[in-house]
Amino acid sequence: MLSRTLVQQKLSALYANPAALSQQVEDTVSCPDNITAWLGRLKLLYGVPINYLVPDEAMLPPESIRFFYLDSNWVDALVDGAYSIGRNLTTNEDTVSLALDKAAMPIMKDGASGASASIRAAALGVESPVVSFATISGFMLRSSLVQDYPGMGVNPYPLGGTPLDPTPNLLTILRMERLGPDSDTLICLVEGDMYRVDIHEAPEALHYGLDSFETAGDAITSEKTIYTFTKSGSPGDASVTMDLANPKHLDLAANNCFRATNDKRTVKMQTLANLIAQNQVVPLPAIDSSEMGFEMVEGVGMVSFYNKKS
């Protein structure tokens, strides 16, 4: 049998070594799910006052965007402050309580990181990504667009992985939302080093569109740019070749493509379709709905920002 003195010595040695203690408690230490979820949100700056993120309004003026990196030491201090509410406040560095804190901290941090990664994934109904939190970058956008276009989309890319590169690579978005229901400021945090971000209208905003439309009294001025195409092969095995180098600019008003009524903004679709068919490389007697869609559909508005380091 071990003597009481020997047992006390072994326990003292164990509690004096947080690394060894961590191995002993890793299968037994757990945190309530609601606390883990709260800490996960804290790591993504949920609940952090705006003046902690932007100390001076001049740092984020209206109609501006600012890129940043999330300082892991600052976030660790933030989370450590949340832990401190249940910590022994003694000044003695060799207490059992402090040793247990040090032993449990890595386990608690892993749980909070997993909760952070699952917040957006759960809202979108997708599988949670694996996030290392080695580098978290982001941006804050302050603009009237944030209020006017609540369904805006964001595509973040790293250096060397943009759509202009051979292998585009989308970074994982961890958080993207307005800082309040009536706020004009959007915050976005991503896993990795963001170099380019594309901000665009909601994808459902795809639509038929004209390049220009102006009225002056009874006169209408309107143009549409099309890219001609040629078809070859049989109906069941056809191919289409597009001429992207030589766009054609059609004058819609001169070709009577608008109704001659009080509603002059209404397009006569059959007339427009015939005009497009006649202006192909090899004029066509008619075009079908897919060809009409190819010529008329316009993508959503998009703006690209680059985080160019000095």
Side-chain angles (χ1 to χ4, degrees):
M1 295 180 63
L2 297 176
S3 66
R4 176 176 295 180
T5 301
L6 185 58
V7 171
Q8 290 175 339
Q9 290 174 348
K10 287 183 175 293
L11 287 174
S12 296
L14 176 62
Y15 281 100
N17 185 349
L21 184 59
S22 180
Q23 296 178 358
Q24 297 293 324
V25 302
E26 61 181 353
D27 294 329
T28 58
V29 171
S30 62
C31 182
D33 291 342
N34 59 337
I35 295 179
T36 299
W38 186 87
L39 292 172
R41 292 175 60 85
L42 188 63
K43 285 176 68 71
L44 296 182
L45 307 182
Y46 284 96
V48 177
I50 182 63
N51 58 302
Y52 280 55
L53 306 178
V54 186
D56 191 310
E57 186 178 3
M59 298 174 68
L60 188 66
E63 307 306 325
S64 68
I65 186 171
R66 295 291 183 265
F67 291 90
F68 61 85
Y69 292 97
L70 200 54
D71 187 340
S72 60
N73 292 324
W74 189 91
V75 174
D76 286 344
L78 177 66
V79 174
D80 190 62
Y83 286 138
S84 67
I85 193 171
R87 183 170 296 148
N88 188 341
L89 300 181
T90 178
T91 57
N92 187 351
E93 297 182 358
D94 298 325
T95 63
V96 171
S97 176
L98 185 57
L100 284 171
D101 279 347
K102 291 180 179 179
M105 184 63 72
I107 303 169
M108 302 288 282
K109 287 180 65 175
D110 288 345
S113 296
S116 296
S118 66
I119 294 173
R120 180 174 170 82
L124 297 177
V126 298
E127 185 177 351
S128 298
V130 177
V131 180
S132 67
F133 280 91
T135 301
I136 302 296
S137 58
F139 69 86
M140 294 185 73
L141 172 67
R142 185 182 180 190
S143 172
S144 59
L145 294 175
V146 175
Q147 295 175 316
D148 295 340
Y149 294 90
M152 276 197 310
V154 169
N155 298 331
Y157 303 95
L159 181 63
T162 72
L164 301 178
D165 296 304
T167 55
N169 176 32
L170 270 175
L171 296 174
T172 299
I173 297 177
L174 300 175
R175 179 187 180 190
M176 188 186 76
E177 60 186 284
R178 294 164 64 180
L179 295 179
D182 299 318
S183 175
D184 65 349
T185 302
L186 175 81
I187 185 172
C188 181
L189 299 175
V190 304
E191 164 81 353
D193 191 349
M194 180 169 49
Y195 168 71
R196 167 179 161 174
V197 57
D198 294 344
I199 300 177
H200 58 81
E201 296 176 276
E204 58 266 24
L206 287 170
H207 57 281
Y208 275 19
L210 307 178
D211 296 337
S212 64
F213 180 89
E214 296 180 2
T215 58
D218 292 333
I220 297 176
T221 303
S222 181
E223 288 189 351
K224 175 63 180 179
T225 300
I226 66 169
Y227 294 92
T228 59
F229 59 88
T230 55
K231 298 190 294 184
S232 60
S234 61
D237 187 25
S239 62
V240 176
T241 302
M242 296 178 292
D243 185 3
L244 300 179
N246 300 293
K248 282 192 173 183
H249 306 286
L250 306 182
D251 187 338
L252 274 60
N255 286 277
N256 195 30
C257 290
F258 297 94
R259 287 184 179 177
T261 64
N262 292 331
D263 187 12
K264 294 183 179 181
R265 295 176 61 89
T266 302
V267 178
K268 294 189 290 186
M269 297 303 292
Q270 187 60 60
T271 303
L272 177 57
N274 293 337
L275 179 63
I276 293 174
Q278 295 162 10
N279 279 273
Q280 298 304 314
V281 175
V282 178
L284 302 172
I287 58 174
D288 59 27
S289 59
S290 63
E291 294 160 348
M292 185 69 170
F294 164 74
E295 295 288 13
M296 292 298 299
V297 168
E298 292 191 356
V300 297
M302 185 180 75
V303 178
S304 298
F305 296 94
Y306 290 85
N307 181 18
K308 296 183 177 179
K309 305 176 180 64
S310 57

